[in-house]
Amino acid sequence: MTRGSAIAALTVTACLLGMPAALAAGRGGAGSQETETSGDSSGQALLSKVAFKVQGAPSKVRRSGSLTPTAVGWKAPACWYEPYWKAEDFKTFTEAKWSMHKSAGGDPKDLADAKARYKGGHPYKNFNAGKNGKGMWWVAVENPDMRDDPAAGACTRPPFWVDKGKAPKVPRAIDPKTLAALAYQQTKVPDTKVELKPAAKSTVNLPTWVWLDKGTFKEVKVRAELPGTGLFAETTAKPVSLHLEPGTEDAETYPASGECTFNKDGSIGTPYTKGSLKQSPPCGITYLRASGGRPNQLTASVTWQISWHGTGDAHGPLPDGTFETTQDMDVQEVQSINR
């Protein structure tokens, strides 16, 4: 076999096994959609076959983004092990790689250990081809969103066989909890642009009312599943509070903690109405000093409570997540304005 034909054989093998390198379009966006990743044979680890379905995120928002976990140091796994190859497919693919290595002038000694492991009976014989359909070869896969994370290289175990219906007793083997963490990572929420009165301008010592209309924020569900295995997890992100940071120490918030909770109808605070000029809002800010031509940076952050359930009645909490938006607030000395 020539070097060119060996490369062609490997390329054809990869295509027959459905292994394009690119991700499907629309991964992690808003609305209701499905996204998948496909295996990429170009590196030491393959890309996962985990698929995602998003429901509840608004389809038309000015901006959306990922949640920031409130638990310090928490992050989704950068790599894990999952069932990937049927026995015959693994045999075909691996032998094609060996053939390419040989045709490119590689030293056969470089493959001695691999051939002994997968073909020579130490511990597997002929790639377990006699068990085709009775189990799967599990491999290390990388999280496509964390390929630059040093932890992506932590899954160094070579491909291993697991009989059908059994779960491997291997650290980082994929399970519902792993899928829940991946679903968390794919959760996108709308930005936190609040309604203000007065809008974008405030007056010293007069309260600025802050509110969010009902329906602005809804639950967002993300389902992560590994096709063909029955493994899944679905996360639910529920908005629970709005936190205000005035952008200056010369301000008072309502309530004093700056934490405005959601009302039963899904709204936050109360819209300003005529006659409420000197009343204290349930959610708002009073600036005590003019901004002097440099607007204060009002930060509004919504906290989302995350829970999940999955295969076999697995369930549990995940860290709350936050998403914040900053907007300019000019504060003027004038004591009366039209409202």
Side-chain angles (χ1 to χ4, degrees), residues 86-244:
K86 293 181 179 179
E88 289 287 358
D89 292 340
F90 183 61
K91 179 177 185 295
T92 300
F93 179 72
T94 304
E95 288 186 332
K97 288 178 65 178
W98 290 350
S99 178
M100 186 179 73
H101 177 82
K102 179 181 178 181
S103 64
D107 190 340
K109 294 180 180 178
D110 295 340
L111 303 176
D113 289 343
K115 287 185 175 182
R117 174 177 173 81
Y118 297 114
K119 193 172 183 179
H122 302 283
Y124 306 109
K125 187 174 182 180
N126 193 29
F127 303 93
N128 273 4
K131 289 187 173 184
N132 199 51
K134 297 180 181 180
M136 294 285 287
W137 285 98
W138 286 54
V139 302
V141 296
E142 291 177 338
N143 186 329
D145 293 330
M146 300 176 66
R147 301 188 89 175
D148 294 330
D149 192 308
C155 299
T156 58
R157 184 183 297 266
F160 56 93
W161 178 265
V162 179
D163 287 330
K164 190 174 183 178
K166 293 186 178 181
K169 296 180 180 180
V170 172
R172 297 191 178 93
I174 196 166
D175 57 12
K177 189 175 182 179
T178 301
L179 291 171
L182 297 175
Y184 184 113
Q185 187 181 42
Q186 294 305 314
T187 300
K188 301 291 188 294
V189 296
D191 74 356
T192 317
K193 185 173 177 61
V194 294
E195 298 293 335
L196 303 170
K197 189 69 175 184
K201 282 190 177 183
S202 186
T203 301
V204 171
N205 294 326
L206 289 178
T208 296
W209 289 58
V210 178
W211 71 92
L212 289 169
D213 292 330
K214 63 181 180 180
T216 302
F217 292 95
K218 298 180 180 179
E219 289 186 349
V220 178
K221 296 180 182 293
V222 179
R223 181 184 176 95
E225 60 183 17
L226 190 58
T229 66
L231 287 175
F232 83 92
E234 182 176 280
T235 60
T236 299
K238 179 182 179 181
V240 292
S241 65
L242 169 72
H243 185 77
L244 300 175

Side-chain angles (χ1 to χ4, degrees), residues 19 84 93 104 106 134 169 198 221 246 258 285 290 329 334-335:
M19 296 175 54
Y84 208 94
F93 179 72
K134 297 180 181 180
K169 296 180 180 180
K221 296 180 182 293
I285 301 169
M329 281 296 296
V334 180
Q335 296 299 310

